[in-house]
Amino acid sequence: MLGGIVLELRSPSSVDGISIDPEPNWNFDTLVSEINSLEKKLNASSKFPSPFTKTSFRDVPGARRMERNARGFVMRVSEDELESVKDESDDEDHNQSSIVARRFVCDELYLSDSDDELVPEHELYLMHKMVPFEGALYELTNDHQTKVKEEIRIQVSAVESGIMNEIETSRSAIARVEKYRETRKEVERKLDLQYQRKVAEALDGHLTAIQREHELKSQIEERKIRSDAAQEEAKRRGRAIQEEKLRQEKARAEAEMQAKIRAEEAKKEAERKVAEEAAEQKAAEQKAAEEKAAREKAAEISLAGSSGNLNGKTEGTSGKFVRASESALTLEEQRLKRLKELEDMNQTLTTRSNENFSSFERHISRLMRQISGTKDNVTAKATEIVKIFNDPRCPNSISIAAFAKKVVSFCENPSSPYFACSYVILMVTSKFPQAMDVLLAELHKACIYTVPKHIVYSEMAFASKEAYRKAIGFQETEGKIENVDNYLKRTESYMKLYGALVQTEIPNVRNIHGLEEGWAWLARFLNRVPANRVTATALNAFLQMAGFALHRRYKTQFLKILNVAHEHFLAKLRTKQDSSELGPIVMEITSYLDDKKYLQEPEGRSLLSNLLSRDRAPEPDHHESYYQDQYYGSRHYNNWYHQ
């Protein structure tokens, strides 16, 4: 409970360095001067630099009246101060209920000039009597402190307002900075897009220029290729024209020469007839007639032996000169007859149409020369040849005849890919079966041992050895017969092609002249053909190409027929081994039989998957896709094939 408290000053005591003399006889002027001194001290030691200014002269009104009427003053406390007092009383554990009035009277109470903290109870001292002017001094001091607090509040508010303004200014500046940053980012983004657009346009222009340059180069290359092709075609035509002129000139020269020879012969004959006597002329004519009859007979025998009209059962002297089975000669005769009919048909077509089909023949020849031992190559070449067969611009019979001739001619080279060529033959003949007989007929004409057939030399049947050699297949070049070594090499090449052809097997494709024909050829050969250097070469070449497949198919039966070849054919060869020329071929056949080389797959039999592969491709899957949509063409077989 608050009440009047009389405070007794300690002696000596000082306030802000001013000693207070506790004399009770102070006058008013002394008090005023003391207050002014106190104010200066307060202004000097204040935390706020602003000086304390008085609004009015410190003159206490009614001082004399207060002096005359010395009584206690009335203190009025505002609600704010009351709340402050309540808060301080709560902090100091005073009871709030002790504050019961807003107005109280302090008659003999002396209060300290410090309102921040209460004076402890042990420092409070009651005064016996309050001086009259102390109340006015306290009121003035309190008024001064209130004004100072108000100024402090105003300054704090101003500072707070300034701080808030600074904060708002900072926020506004930050907002402007953020806005400027966003604007800058947008500008940079637009500039980046513009730069990227320019880069893209430049790149597009560069690529367009490169593309135009490439197109220009391609056009130049195409023009160059077309120009080269045109020049090559012009050269080819020029060569063809030149060759035709040379041929015509040669034919004209030969005709003139023959005419001259005939004229000279006629002249000589006339002179001889005039010069000789009648008796001598008659004897000469009789002798000439006999010689002519003998020559015609020999020529007839030779022609019959070479064309297959003779067989083992032919009566007369002709049966002694041809060694072959009847069935083989019959097949040869039929095939040669079909080939002759085909050639006659082609001659008629060429004459009637007045067209030159040599370009198709050259195309087939070029395709045959490009054959190699790979799957893709074989399939491509067979497809191209089939397209030529189906070309309506070229008759089917002409393309088939050209194909058969080019195959036989291509395989004359010992280094030819026989197995790859046999694959092409089988793929083509599977769609055009008539081509197989034509091809076999060309082989029979080129090599009689593909029949198999052998012609024995006889002076009665042949006018000379040259005629005999022509009958068994020797070629003549510029009036000269080839030597025996070249003939043996060609015979070996033809037999290798024939052996590769009979053993070729492709899934879902029937080989018209397959292993059965190869087995029949081997049996006919050992039964009818004599043993000599040429026949041994033919047998060795056939076994090297077809022996592996024949053994895989016939097994023990094939071993039996090889035993026959070893005991009879080789035995007869050894009896003729007085000549050193038989030694190499006898050793080759003996090595083949003794070393059982028929158990080893011959090189090149299985086609390679591609040009870079070193592993052989498995045979069962070969060209299966090529024959999935197999057909025999839209054309019917020619009438000459069915006759």
Side-chain angles (χ1 to χ4, degrees):
M1 181 175 180
L2 295 177
I5 301 174
V6 179
L7 300 177
E8 183 179 359
L9 295 175
R10 297 179 180 179
S11 181
S13 62
S14 63
V15 177
D16 292 332
I18 302 174
S19 298
I20 300 176
D21 187 8
E23 281 189 28
N25 296 325
W26 281 357
N27 56 17
F28 187 76
D29 295 333
T30 305
L31 178 60
V32 171
S33 62
E34 191 69 25
I35 289 172
N36 290 332
S37 175
L38 181 61
E39 288 178 355
K40 292 180 180 180
K41 292 287 185 179
L42 290 174
N43 288 332
S45 62
S46 176
K47 296 179 180 180
F48 299 93
S50 58
F52 180 79
T53 57
K54 292 186 291 185
T55 58
S56 62
F57 181 75
R58 189 177 298 275
D59 187 12
V60 180
R64 294 181 180 180
R65 184 172 47 84
M66 290 174 61
E67 185 177 0
R68 288 191 302 267
N69 189 10
R71 62 182 181 85
F73 65 93
V74 177
M75 180 181 293
R76 291 180 175 85
V77 181
S78 65
E79 293 181 359
D80 295 335
E81 292 175 351
L82 183 59
E83 291 177 0
S84 177
V85 172
K86 289 180 180 181
D87 294 335
E88 290 176 359
S89 62
D90 291 336
D91 294 336
E92 298 180 44
D93 297 329
H94 288 282
N95 190 3
Q96 187 177 0
S97 61
S98 62
I99 303 173
V100 296
R102 295 183 180 179
R103 183 174 180 176
F104 60 92
V105 179
C106 296
D107 293 333
E108 297 179 352
L109 179 62
Y110 175 77
L111 296 177
S112 173
D113 56 350
S114 176
D115 58 349
D116 293 334
E117 59 181 356
L118 296 177
V119 181
E121 293 182 357
H122 62 275
E123 294 182 358
L124 297 178
Y125 299 95
L126 296 176
M127 299 181 63
H128 297 285
K129 189 176 181 180
M130 180 178 293
V131 182
F133 58 83
E134 290 181 357
L137 177 61
Y138 178 78
E139 186 176 356
L140 291 174
T141 303
N142 189 26
D143 186 21
H144 172 68
Q145 291 179 354
T146 301
K147 290 180 179 180
V148 171
K149 290 180 180 180
E150 187 66 23
E151 290 178 358
I152 292 173
R153 290 192 189 97
I154 292 171
Q155 292 181 2
V156 169
S157 298
V159 171
E160 290 179 353
S161 299
I163 292 173
M164 294 302 295
N165 292 334
E166 291 293 334
I167 292 173
E168 291 297 330
T169 304
S170 300
R171 289 178 179 174
S172 178
I174 292 172
R176 289 196 300 272
V177 170
E178 291 293 333
K179 185 176 180 181
Y180 174 76
R181 184 184 298 171
E182 294 295 331
T183 305
R184 189 64 182 175
K185 287 183 179 179
E186 184 67 21
V187 172
E188 290 178 355
R189 187 181 64 81
K190 291 181 179 179
L191 291 176
D192 190 21
L193 290 176
Q194 186 177 2
Y195 177 73
Q196 291 179 358
R197 190 179 296 110
K198 290 182 179 180
V199 171
E201 291 176 356
L203 180 61
D204 184 56
H206 179 65
L207 294 177
T208 303
I210 292 176
Q211 185 177 2
R212 290 177 181 174
E213 184 179 357
H214 287 175
E215 291 177 355
L216 181 61
K217 289 182 179 180
S218 300
Q219 293 175 0
I220 294 173
E221 290 294 333
E222 290 178 359
R223 293 195 193 100
K224 185 177 179 181
I225 291 172
R226 287 196 295 269
S227 177
D228 294 341
Q231 292 178 1
E232 186 66 25
E233 184 67 19
K235 291 179 180 179
R236 185 188 61 78
R237 291 179 181 178
R239 287 195 299 268
I241 294 172
Q242 188 69 19
E243 290 175 358
E244 183 65 21
K245 289 181 179 179
L246 292 175
R247 188 184 63 79
Q248 292 177 0
E249 292 177 357
K250 184 177 180 181
R252 191 181 301 111
E254 289 178 355
E256 293 176 355
M257 183 64 68
Q258 289 178 1
K260 290 180 180 180
I261 292 173
R262 285 194 297 267
E264 291 178 358
E265 288 180 354
K267 185 178 180 180
K268 289 180 180 180
E269 184 67 19
E271 291 177 355
R272 186 179 58 82
K273 287 181 180 180
V274 173
E276 291 180 353
E277 295 179 356
E280 293 178 356
Q281 182 179 1
K282 185 176 180 179
E285 290 177 355
Q286 185 177 1
K287 186 177 180 180
E290 292 177 355
E291 291 178 354
K292 183 178 180 182
R295 285 197 300 271
E296 289 179 354
K297 185 177 181 181
E300 182 181 359
I301 295 172
S302 176
L303 179 62
S306 60
S307 61
N309 293 327
L310 299 178
N311 54 52
K313 294 184 178 181
T314 302
E315 296 181 357
T317 58
S318 62
K320 300 178 181 179
F321 307 133
V322 178
R323 302 286 181 86
S325 65
E326 183 180 0
S327 58
L329 292 175
T330 302
L331 290 173
E332 180 194 17
E333 183 180 0
Q334 293 175 357
R335 290 164 183 163
L336 291 174
K337 182 180 179 181
R338 290 171 183 170
L339 177 61
K340 184 67 169 58
E341 293 174 355
L342 180 66
E343 290 176 347
D344 294 341
M345 181 186 297
N346 292 339
Q347 184 67 28
T348 303
L349 290 173
T350 305
T351 304
R352 291 179 180 178
S353 61
N354 294 325
E355 294 183 2
N356 187 5
F357 303 105
S358 59
S359 60
F360 297 95
E361 296 179 1
R362 288 194 300 270
H363 191 190
I364 293 175
S365 178
R366 183 168 60 254
L367 292 174
M368 293 301 300
R369 290 195 302 270
Q370 294 174 353
I371 293 176
S372 61
T374 62
K375 284 184 177 181
D376 296 339
N377 178 271
V378 167
T379 303
K381 302 311 172 186
T383 304
E384 291 294 327
I385 293 173
V386 170
K387 288 181 180 179
I388 295 175
F389 282 14
N390 290 324
D391 195 334
R393 296 175 297 175
C394 180
N396 188 258
S397 58
I398 292 178
S399 59
I400 289 176
F403 171 72
K405 289 181 180 296
K406 298 305 179 183
V407 168
V408 174
S409 176
F410 172 68
C411 292
E412 289 180 356
N413 187 0
S415 61
S416 300
Y418 302 104
F419 290 107
C421 186
S422 65
Y423 274 102
V424 174
I425 294 171
L426 185 55
M427 282 188 274
V428 173
T429 56
S430 65
K431 294 188 176 183
F432 297 90
Q434 64 271 33
M436 181 63 80
D437 282 344
V438 178
L439 176 62
L440 292 174
E442 290 288 349
L443 273 177
H444 296 339
K445 287 178 62 177
C447 180
I448 62 175
Y449 298 103
T450 58
V451 177
K453 179 178 69 174
H454 178 70
I455 301 175
V456 181
Y457 173 71
S458 174
E459 294 181 355
M460 184 182 298
F462 301 99
S464 62
K465 290 186 177 180
E466 286 76 10
Y468 169 72
R469 290 182 177 180
K470 289 181 181 179
I472 64 176
F474 278 77
Q475 292 182 352
E476 182 180 3
T477 305
E478 297 180 356
K480 295 182 179 180
I481 302 297
E482 66 179 340
N483 56 35
V484 178
D485 292 336
N486 291 338
Y487 174 72
L488 291 177
K489 289 180 180 179
R490 287 193 306 105
T491 301
E492 182 181 8
S493 298
Y494 294 139
M495 290 308 304
K496 283 186 176 181
L497 175 62
Y498 184 77
L501 178 61
V502 298
Q503 64 87 49
T504 300
E505 296 177 350
I506 300 177
N508 302 325
V509 177
R510 177 177 174 268
N511 189 348
I512 303 174
H513 200 79
L515 279 176
E516 297 83 2
E517 298 295 333
W519 178 264
W521 182 93
L522 186 58
R524 292 165 183 167
F525 184 90
L526 294 176
N527 287 332
R528 305 295 299 178
V529 176
N532 56 34
R533 184 183 178 189
V534 179
T535 57
T537 301
L539 177 63
N540 182 48
F542 180 82
L543 290 177
Q544 287 180 2
M545 305 302 287
F548 175 79
L550 289 172
H551 176 263
R552 192 171 61 175
R553 169 74 67 84
Y554 297 102
K555 299 186 184 303
T556 56
Q557 298 298 324
F558 178 72
L559 295 179
K560 290 179 181 179
I561 203 169
L562 288 184
N563 190 27
V564 172
H566 187 273
E567 292 181 356
H568 298 277
F569 191 85
L570 281 179
K572 292 179 181 179
L573 283 179
R574 292 189 180 96
T575 59
K576 300 178 181 181
Q577 204 169 355
D578 52 348
S579 176
S580 59
E581 296 176 350
L582 283 173
I585 189 63
V586 171
M587 290 181 61
E588 286 187 17
I589 298 176
T590 304
S591 175
Y592 181 86
L593 298 177
D594 294 344
D595 297 341
K596 298 181 179 180
K597 293 183 179 179
Y598 50 83
L599 299 177
Q600 302 174 5
E601 182 178 357
E603 183 179 359
R605 182 177 182 273
S606 297
L607 300 180
L608 301 178
S609 58
N610 53 61
L611 292 176
L612 300 179
S613 175
R614 294 185 180 272
D615 299 329
R616 295 188 179 274
E619 184 180 1
D621 296 335
H622 174 62
H623 295 295
E624 185 173 358
S625 60
Y626 178 83
Y627 292 99
Q628 288 179 354
D629 191 17
Q630 184 179 6
Y631 73 104
Y632 289 95
S634 59
R635 302 179 182 180
H636 297 290
Y637 296 161
N638 293 329
N639 294 330
W640 59 267
Y641 178 70
H642 296 286
Q643 292 176 355

